[in-house]
Amino acid sequence: AVLDNIPGRDEYDIRELAPDPFPYSYWRPYLNSEKVQKALGAFVNYTSDGGNTVYNAFVNTGDDDRESGTIEACRALVSQGVYVVQFAGDADYNCNWLGGQAVAEEIDAPGFCNAGYVDMKTSDHVTHGQVKQSANFAFARIYESGHEVPFYQPLAALELFERGIGRKDIATGKHDVRRGYITKGTPESTFREGNGTVQFAVLPDDAIYNTTLNAPNPTGNTTAKAKRVVRGWKPTRSMQGPLKRRSLGVKSGVKPRV
């Protein structure tokens, strides 16, 4: 990707220079801890990127090229009454929100062309993004978030999920989307964040992401040196490296399509 090769930025979060330590990778041993596996009823270990077997199977069957019909399939889900919510972090260059918005417009859910962007309100009284919605179809732009939205904006991601599961509107979580709900706002999401959270130096491996600042804690801050401790386990130095985004066993250097 251009952002990787020229300016050395992380295409999954263009605010960061590569190598990017975020998101953390120590969630793997957490998921493999006995306590978590028992709570989930899991009988095997979690292995997200332990080889290229799954990736090779997808490539060899041409699965990566099976993109035709995606928009039609989403349109069919909406017409069947399924609640469809698209969302994207606006610092993600790979799966960028402008492309997601274009797809949302192509899906052309009933009434969507007449909807407008409104702020997404969460329980912390902070506007974490904007959403455009008509009945059971919504598209949300999440502010100051890279590819893995739940890492960068955990509260917004959680409440978006809860509202979707509860068939409530994404903007407030107060309205039943089955009753002709539509957002009344601006035709475009025009908010501009500036470069306040853009990093101009490669971050250290032990950097801590601050979801209040929407940026890493300043280097040299004692908070940035704090130990990451989760009940019952402690991540080792090797666990604290940057997350390798290798969905479905994608080998290094090959970018998955999400």
Side-chain angles (χ1 to χ4, degrees):
V2 173
L3 283 175
D4 288 329
N5 300 331
I6 308 302
R9 292 206 165 268
D10 181 0
E11 65 187 87
Y12 291 92
D13 184 349
I14 59 174
R15 302 171 301 166
E16 311 290 344
L17 290 168
D20 181 2
F22 307 129
Y24 316 127
S25 61
Y26 59 80
W27 48 270
R28 294 186 181 91
Y30 171 74
L31 289 179
N32 284 328
S33 66
E34 182 180 358
K35 181 178 180 180
V36 171
Q37 289 186 342
K38 184 177 180 180
L40 295 175
F43 298 99
V44 295
N45 286 337
Y46 178 82
T47 53
S48 64
D49 53 0
N52 293 320
T53 304
V54 175
Y55 167 76
N56 290 333
F58 270 76
V59 171
N60 292 334
T61 57
D63 193 86
D64 196 42
D65 293 321
R66 294 174 186 170
E67 298 177 359
S68 60
T70 300
I71 290 174
E72 292 79 4
C74 288
R75 188 180 298 142
L77 289 174
V78 174
S79 67
Q80 294 165 20
V82 177
Y83 194 177
V84 177
V85 181
Q86 283 184 254
F87 63 95
D90 66 4
D92 182 4
Y93 176 83
N94 197 313
C95 302
N96 63 85
W97 78 272
L98 293 172
Q101 176 181 248
V103 170
E105 292 171 351
E106 287 293 320
I107 291 173
D108 194 24
F112 190 72
C113 63
N114 297 319
Y117 280 97
V118 298
D119 291 345
M120 179 182 172
K121 301 294 186 180
T122 48
S123 57
D124 60 352
H125 307 293
V126 173
T127 299
H128 291 289
Q130 289 191 315
V131 60
K132 181 178 180 179
Q133 180 166 1
S134 175
N136 59 314
F137 180 76
F139 172 74
R141 167 197 177 186
I142 308 300
Y143 295 157
E144 297 175 304
S145 173
H147 188 71
E148 293 84 1
V149 172
F151 173 81
Y152 299 98
Q153 298 290 358
L155 181 64
L158 175 62
E159 296 193 6
L160 181 149
F161 177 77
E162 291 175 337
R163 293 169 186 180
I165 291 295
R167 298 188 71 84
K168 300 295 184 181
D169 71 293
I170 301 303
T172 68
K174 297 178 180 179
H175 304 286
D176 191 325
V177 300
R178 291 169 289 194
R179 299 181 179 179
Y181 175 83
I182 189 170
T183 52
K184 298 294 185 180
T186 57
E188 302 291 336
S189 177
T190 58
F191 176 70
R192 297 295 180 263
E193 295 153 359
N195 63 357
T197 62
V198 175
Q199 303 302 303
F200 296 98
V202 175
L203 296 169
D205 289 342
D206 62 352
I208 301 290
Y209 193 83
N210 187 316
T211 57
T212 300
L213 298 176
N214 293 314
N217 280 333
T219 56
N221 188 325
T222 54
T223 305
K225 304 295 184 180
K227 294 181 179 179
R228 305 182 182 107
V229 178
V230 177
R231 290 182 184 177
W233 70 284
K234 296 181 180 179
T236 64
R237 181 80 177 178
S238 62
M239 296 175 188
Q240 297 177 2
L243 171 63
K244 296 179 180 178
R245 301 174 178 89
R246 297 173 62 191
S247 303
L248 302 176
V250 176
K251 53 191 175 183
S252 179
V254 179
K255 300 298 182 183
R257 297 187 181 186
V258 180

